[in-house]
Amino acid sequence: MALASISVDAVLLALKIAFLLLLYLFIWRIVRAASREMRAPQESFVLAPMAERHEKRAPRPGTLVVISSPDLEEGQRVELTHEALTIGRGPLNELQLDQDDFTSGKHALIDPRRDGVWVEDLGSTNGSFVNGVRLTSSRRLLPGDVLRIGETDFRYER
């Protein structure tokens, strides 16, 4: 009987020591993480409204001017906003090309970003072209670039 109580006391003591070690390890990790956070540079919440004001003053993304199209009038201007623009024959596109038989349902994406206006082919059957070169990935448009989607040609202007 005495032997059983000694072994139970020894097990309880070992469990208490293990619990204290885990508790100290946990506290040490919290202190270490907090000290890293204190050393890292932090963005001030006071400066956030200024950053938003600069964002509002971002330059106008530009314009797509129709060069030729079976659907749109030559010279028609499509003013780009700061929101993405999808082009295709489907009804959910912002710029719909119903009469262009070589345009896919959801053909291309025009994406104005801080670093410029980007164009991306959305897996169309006939592809999208910039200055006669087929798009294989997103590409930044430069003023004067000619964008071909189906049988519709646009010139990008700032």
Side-chain angles (χ1 to χ4, degrees):
M1 185 76 175
L3 183 63
S5 70
I6 293 174
S7 65
V8 170
D9 287 340
V11 170
L12 287 175
L13 180 62
L15 287 174
K16 287 179 186 178
I17 292 171
F19 176 74
L20 285 174
L21 286 174
L22 287 174
L23 184 63
Y24 283 122
L25 177 66
F26 178 71
I27 292 171
W28 176 73
R29 300 265 328 236
I30 290 174
V31 169
R32 195 173 97 191
S35 67
R36 278 192 199 147
E37 290 290 324
M38 296 293 281
R39 280 186 259 139
Q42 301 214 350
E43 191 172 318
S44 172
F45 291 110
V46 175
L47 297 179
M50 182 64 87
E52 290 173 5
R53 277 186 266 157
H54 285 303
E55 199 170 79
K56 288 179 185 172
R57 281 192 237 146
R60 189 174 58 84
T63 306
L64 293 176
V65 179
V66 178
I67 298 172
S68 65
S69 173
D71 214 8
L72 305 171
E73 288 185 34
E74 186 176 323
Q76 182 178 340
R77 301 173 72 80
V78 179
E79 297 290 330
L80 300 175
T81 64
H82 292 286
E83 295 181 19
L85 170 81
T86 55
I87 301 173
R89 285 193 329 196
L92 298 178
N93 293 295
E94 284 84 18
L95 182 57
Q96 211 172 342
L97 301 174
D98 293 332
Q99 307 293 319
D100 193 337
D101 294 333
F102 292 92
T103 302
S104 296
K106 197 164 192 179
H107 196 101
L109 174 74
I110 308 295
D111 188 14
R113 303 178 191 164
R114 287 184 178 198
D115 60 342
V117 175
W118 293 75
V119 62
E120 176 184 352
D121 186 80
L122 297 176
S124 65
T125 304
N126 295 316
S128 300
F129 298 83
V130 174
N131 299 327
V133 178
R134 188 178 186 130
L135 291 176
T136 56
S137 63
S138 293
R139 181 173 189 262
R140 184 175 177 207
L141 289 175
L142 300 173
D145 280 349
V146 175
L147 171 63
R148 183 172 185 87
I149 295 174
E151 288 185 308
T152 302
D153 289 327
F154 298 97
R155 183 179 58 252
Y156 174 69
E157 296 178 352
R158 280 296 283 171

